[in-house]
């Protein structure tokens, strides 16, 4: 191998290492945010002492939510007044949005629906009922008149039986939460609050529906 070829290979290797390192540092520097249910103090009141709410004898599988185009990644979406969809730099969710919302939905149903079991879609065939969620809005929205954005979360849900795929009910929830400040931490707090409120509403509606269905069986 002649000297010029050797030099070219060394330069190429150095360039590749530099590019790889840059991409890695960029990905690693992005802060990952999790979504969790609101603390117990903000949740609905607990049943009176000595009178726990009866468990609904129903097993539910929460399917992985489907997000509309532009929202299905790990990136945190932001919408500007000109309807331009973008993403916050150096910030991401702890996983793809569908997976993050699925895990949060399972937790919300455990807290608010009082069902016998609630799980992810891995056990859909063992559960008598399934819940499918569509994410139609999950972005921070800026307006020309506001310094800080308002987070909008809109979810549509379909509840059905696993045996015959019969549709049992449909629910929808839209919640808007203004960020306290135009800072990423405050915006993520608004996302968490809006997601929690939306899923709490759907869990309550679905739980009531499943309670009525179980009484007729």
């Amino acid at each position: 191998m002649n000297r010029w070829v050797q030099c070219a290979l060394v330069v190429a290797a150095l360039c590749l290492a530099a590019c790889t390192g840059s991409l890695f540092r960029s990905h690693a520097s992005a802060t990952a945010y999790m979504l969790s249910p609101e603390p117990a103090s903000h949740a609905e009141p607990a049943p009176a002492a000595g009178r726990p709410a009866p468990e609904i004898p129903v097993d539910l599988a929460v399917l992985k939510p489907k997000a509309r185009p532009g929202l299905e990644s790990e990136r945190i979406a932001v919408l500007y007044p000109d309807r331009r969809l973008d993403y916050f730099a150096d910030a991401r969710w702890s996983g793809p949005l569908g997976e993050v919302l699925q895990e949060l939905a399972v937790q919300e149903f455990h807290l608010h629906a009082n069902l016998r079991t609630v799980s992810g879609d891995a056990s859909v065939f063992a559960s008598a009922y399934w819940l499918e969620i569509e994410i139609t809005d999950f972005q921070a929205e800026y307006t020309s008149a506001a310094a800080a954005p308002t987070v909008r979360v809109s979810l549509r849900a379909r509840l059905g039986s696993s045996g015959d795929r019969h549709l049992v009910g449909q629910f929808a929830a839209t919640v808007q939460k203004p960020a306290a400040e135009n800072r990423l931490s405050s915006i993520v707090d608004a996302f968490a609050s809006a997601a929690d409120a939306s899923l709490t509403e759907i869990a309550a509606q679905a739980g009531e529906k499943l309670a009525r269905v179980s009484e007729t069986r």
Side-chain angles (χ1 to χ4, degrees):
M1 183 182 296
N2 67 45
R3 182 168 173 271
W4 291 110
V5 172
Q6 288 178 322
C7 289
L9 289 174
V10 170
V11 171
L14 290 173
C15 290
L16 178 61
C19 290
T20 304
S22 177
L23 288 173
F24 178 77
R25 285 195 298 273
S26 177
H27 177 75
S29 64
T31 302
Y33 291 92
M34 296 180 64
L35 293 177
S36 302
E38 290 282 324
S41 60
H42 297 290
E44 59 194 24
R51 293 185 297 163
E55 180 185 86
I56 302 170
V58 166
D59 304 309
L60 178 71
V62 177
L63 309 182
K64 181 181 174 180
K66 299 177 181 178
R68 72 187 241 185
L71 302 177
E72 65 273 77
S73 72
E74 299 178 2
R75 305 175 75 183
I76 302 177
V78 53
L79 189 67
Y80 292 103
D82 60 0
R83 306 307 296 170
R84 176 170 52 92
L85 183 68
D86 206 339
Y87 306 93
F88 288 107
D90 300 322
R92 61 183 176 86
W93 298 120
S94 56
L97 183 59
E99 295 178 10
V100 172
L101 262 291
Q102 181 185 33
E103 175 60 27
L104 182 60
V106 169
Q107 296 179 56
E108 296 289 1
F109 269 83
H110 277 302
L111 289 172
H112 303 291
N114 201 33
L115 305 179
R116 181 166 55 200
T117 64
V118 184
S119 58
D121 56 347
S123 57
V124 61
F125 298 109
S127 302
Y129 295 91
W130 50 265
L131 185 84
E132 183 179 65
I133 297 173
E134 180 184 1
I135 308 167
T136 57
D137 288 296
F138 207 88
Q139 68 275 340
E141 299 181 350
Y142 282 92
T143 65
S144 56
T150 293
V151 167
R152 180 191 299 271
V153 173
S154 298
L155 307 175
R156 291 200 293 254
R158 298 166 66 245
L159 178 67
S161 59
S162 299
D164 54 11
R165 302 294 295 180
H166 175 68
L167 188 63
V168 175
Q170 299 185 71
F171 320 102
T174 295
V175 176
Q176 298 182 69
K177 295 286 184 179
E181 298 178 272
N182 192 30
R183 299 177 59 181
L184 191 56
S185 58
S186 296
I187 295 169
V188 170
D189 285 344
F191 268 110
S193 181
D196 177 87
S198 298
L199 287 171
T200 295
E201 184 176 338
I202 287 176
Q205 294 179 68
E208 291 175 4
K209 186 68 175 181
L210 288 171
R212 292 195 296 270
V213 169
S214 67
E215 290 174 356
T216 62
R217 292 176 59 184

